[in-house]
């Protein structure tokens, strides 16, 4: 049974988050939620409109006496990342997310929670019925398909929103205003592979890496967590020292913006080398646990013997090429910012691998606040792929958002925060792709900031949101709108 949020404050915010969790809304499956938002808006007496790609804008009338205040856009995205633990029976196409409370934290039961960005959407929606809030005209903009490449924002047309003051509600650290973000590009690498018959006398083993924390490939990449795909590749190469090994299949990761938590490889070795192979895998587990002791306390590596060996496997050369390529591709933090201490400038995530009939397919997602550096990472991936004999294709990606520390909206936000809470907020950029970069290009001259409640470990089943900070950020949102529209 899902934990009931109906008694949490602010009640209107949690009411909408409860409604949102009941409607499946993974990326590219937001139609039902998009339609529901339009219905909720009309029930609240607001005008709502959908565009050709499914984005929704809700227009909220100004509070009495503030009709001439500037229009403010509050923006969030409707889709969520659909990740679950491998042993969790759950269908993101039809099952509602179940809430679990752990002190101040609200999380889900074995799946992603959808607080990214459902809680931001809920905060915006709550303004439709908040008669106590003082604000000018509002445009609540809800985009679709953010998590797979900011595609909803890319599809925005001129005039869909008119406001020149813009608050993105997709940040994940209360008390921190984001004024810039990274751009990103995905690359797809295809390594041709050859298969051949497997001689008799071979044993098949399934190597599994599980128990990793994963997380957001931008926000959490700095934590230096394990990548299950790369650990499996290391296991294949290390086990080859104990016994000749041939790869049958390898699979790991899923979403481009999630650090892989689980991966497996099916391998074949001569039966007489089984004892040495199992011993080597046990040594690897001990080594990995020491290497990732603080970052991955639940790391598991298992080697399970299969009942029967397959008839064929990759050749020796293809096996080694596949494992070496997975290890050679850049992964993790590649450069730190020269201007903002502690901020990652450039990173890359080896996000997904699949064995196909005649190729190994690899997806990598790279980010940087420096577009030249981003091009450099893609060039590195292309170079590594070329050395391995693989073909590499990259998409155009999405732009970063350059900070504007002279932003008038930022100055008002800072003043409103200090007045409301008596503390200084922080200002920084984020090593993740916010829609602000694209929207800034779509609507020149728009003044933007981004903020939100504290969310930990988005894009993984450990995702959770701080209940207290939801209330605090909702309170600040109203204070900001009051300050912007004040007489």
């Amino acid at each position: 049974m899902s934990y009931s949020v109906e008694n949490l404050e602010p009640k209107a915010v949690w009411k909408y988050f409860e409604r949102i969790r009941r409607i499946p809304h993974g990326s590219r499956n937001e139609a039902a939620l998009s339609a529901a938002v339009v219905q909720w808006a009309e029930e609240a007496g607001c005008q709502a409109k959908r565009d050709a790609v499914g984005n929704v804008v809700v227009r909220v009338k100004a509070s009495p006496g503030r009709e001439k205040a500037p229009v403010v856009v509050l923006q969030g995205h409707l889709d969520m990342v659909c990740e679950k633990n491998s042993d969790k029976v759950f269908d993101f196409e039809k099952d509602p997310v179940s809430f679990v409370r752990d002190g101040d934290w609200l999380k889900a039961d074995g799946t992603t929670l959808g607080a990214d960005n459902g809680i931001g959407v809920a905060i915006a929606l709550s303004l439709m019925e908040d008669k106590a809030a003082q604000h000018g005209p509002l445009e609540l903009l809800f985009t679709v398909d953010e998590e797979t490449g900011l595609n909803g924002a890319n599809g925005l047309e001129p005039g869909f929103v008119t406001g020149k003051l813009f608050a993105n509600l997709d940040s994940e650290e209360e008390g921190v205003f984001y004024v810039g973000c990274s751009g990103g590009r995905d690359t797809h690498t295809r390594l041709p592979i050859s298969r051949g018959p497997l001689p008799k006398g071979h044993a098949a083993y399934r190597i599994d890496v599980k128990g990793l924390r994963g997380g957001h490939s931008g926000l959490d990449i700095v934590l230096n967590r394990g990548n299950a795909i790369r650990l499996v590749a290391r296991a294949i190469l290390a086990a080859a020292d104990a016994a000749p090994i041939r790869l049958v299949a390898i699979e790991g990761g899923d979403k481009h913006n999630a650090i892989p938590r689980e991966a497996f490889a099916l391998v074949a070795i001569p039966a007489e080398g089984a004892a040495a192979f199992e011993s080597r895998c046990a040594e690897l587990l001990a080594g990995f646990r020491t290497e990732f002791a603080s970052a991955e306390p639940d790391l598991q590596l298992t080697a399970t013997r299969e009942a029967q060996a397959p008839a064929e496997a990759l050749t020796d050369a293809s096996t080694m090429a596949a494992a070496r390529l997975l290890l050679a591709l850049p992964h993790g933090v590649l450069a730190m910012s020269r201007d903002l201490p502690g901020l990652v400038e450039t990173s890359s995530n080896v996000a997904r691998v699949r064995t196909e009939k005649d190729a190994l397919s690899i997806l990598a997602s790279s980010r940087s606040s420096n577009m030249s550096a981003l091009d450099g990472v893609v060039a590195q991936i292309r170079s590594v792929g070329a050395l391995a004999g693989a073909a590499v294709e990259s998409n155009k990606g999405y732009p970063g958002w350059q900070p504007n520390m002279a932003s008038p909206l930022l100055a008002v936000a800072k003043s409103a925060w200090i007045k409301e809470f008596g503390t200084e907020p922080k200002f920084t950029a984020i090593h993740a792709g916010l829609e602000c970069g694209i929207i800034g290009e779509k609507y020149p001259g728009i003044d933007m900031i981004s903020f939100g409640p504290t969310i930990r470990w988005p894009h993984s089943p450990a995702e959770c949101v701080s209940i207290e900070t939801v209330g605090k950020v909702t309170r600040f949102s109203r204070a900001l709108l009051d300050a912007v529209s004040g007489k």
Side-chain angles (χ1 to χ4, degrees), residues 38 104 154 257 354 375 415 429:
V38 171
D104 180 51
N154 266 318
N257 50 10
R354 299 286 188 271
D375 290 341
S415 177

Side-chain angles (χ1 to χ4, degrees), residues 95-413:
D95 295 336
V97 171
S98 291
F99 291 156
V100 177
R101 183 170 182 176
D102 182 7
D104 180 51
W105 298 99
L106 187 72
K107 55 187 180 181
D109 180 14
T111 72
T112 37
L113 174 64
D116 174 15
N117 184 225
I119 201 68
V121 171
I123 289 172
L125 288 172
S126 70
L127 288 164
M128 297 189 306
E129 58 188 64
D130 189 344
K131 303 303 181 184
Q134 297 297 302
H135 56 77
L138 302 179
E139 293 177 332
L140 313 181
L141 174 62
F142 305 116
T143 52
V144 296
D145 201 13
E146 188 267 357
E147 298 289 6
T148 65
L150 313 181
N151 295 312
N154 266 318
L156 287 170
E157 297 181 355
F160 194 64
V161 292
T162 63
K164 292 297 184 180
L165 300 178
F166 184 94
N168 169 274
L169 302 178
D170 191 22
S171 295
E172 293 159 354
E173 190 174 0
E174 171 264 324
V176 177
F177 294 107
Y178 289 97
V179 294
C181 71
S182 297
R185 291 174 69 183
D186 289 346
T187 54
H188 293 264
T189 301
R190 286 180 60 81
L191 175 71
I193 55 176
S194 299
R195 300 177 185 271
L198 196 63
K200 293 182 179 180
H202 273 65
Y205 279 86
R206 177 177 168 127
I207 303 173
D208 279 281
V209 171
K210 294 182 178 181
L212 303 186
R213 288 177 168 174
H216 192 294
S217 65
L219 301 178
D220 297 324
I221 202 76
V222 72
L223 300 177
N224 202 23
R225 291 174 175 169
N227 179 313
I229 293 172
R230 289 167 61 84
L231 292 182
V232 166
R234 285 175 60 180
I236 292 170
L237 291 175
D241 295 335
I245 189 168
R246 289 177 62 180
L247 179 65
V248 179
I250 184 169
E251 182 174 318
D254 188 13
K255 307 297 187 298
H256 77 120
N257 50 10
I259 302 169
R261 298 174 295 107
E262 299 178 345
F264 82 89
L266 184 63
V267 301
I269 61 169
E272 61 270 19
F277 171 79
E278 292 179 8
S279 176
R280 186 71 180 107
C281 288
E283 292 172 0
L284 283 169
L285 174 59
F288 288 166
R289 282 183 170 170
T290 298
E291 181 180 347
F292 294 96
S294 59
E296 303 288 4
D298 300 319
L299 187 154
Q300 302 173 37
L301 184 151
T302 58
T304 306
R305 188 162 180 170
E306 300 284 291
Q308 185 175 348
E312 65 173 18
L314 273 65
T315 63
D316 293 336
S318 286
T319 295
M320 291 298 102
R324 288 167 179 161
L325 176 58
L326 287 170
L327 275 185
L329 289 170
H331 176 81
V333 175
L334 304 179
M336 299 299 291
S337 172
R338 296 166 179 83
D339 302 314
L340 293 172
L343 178 69
V344 177
E345 176 205 83
T346 307
S347 73
S348 196
N349 176 44
V350 178
R352 185 177 68 222
V353 64
R354 299 286 188 271
T355 38
E356 300 173 355
K357 182 179 180 180
D358 57 358
L360 185 77
S361 175
I362 307 168
L363 171 66
S365 177
S366 306
R367 305 173 187 266
S368 184
S369 54
N370 184 312
M371 294 302 99
S372 176
L374 183 60
D375 290 341
V377 178
V378 173
Q380 182 180 355
I381 295 172
R382 288 185 177 278
S383 298
V384 171
L387 289 170
V392 180
E393 295 182 355
S394 61
N395 65 5
K396 293 182 180 179
Y398 52 88
W401 166 29
Q402 295 303 311
N404 175 19
M405 300 309 294
S407 156
L409 180 59
L410 183 61
V412 174

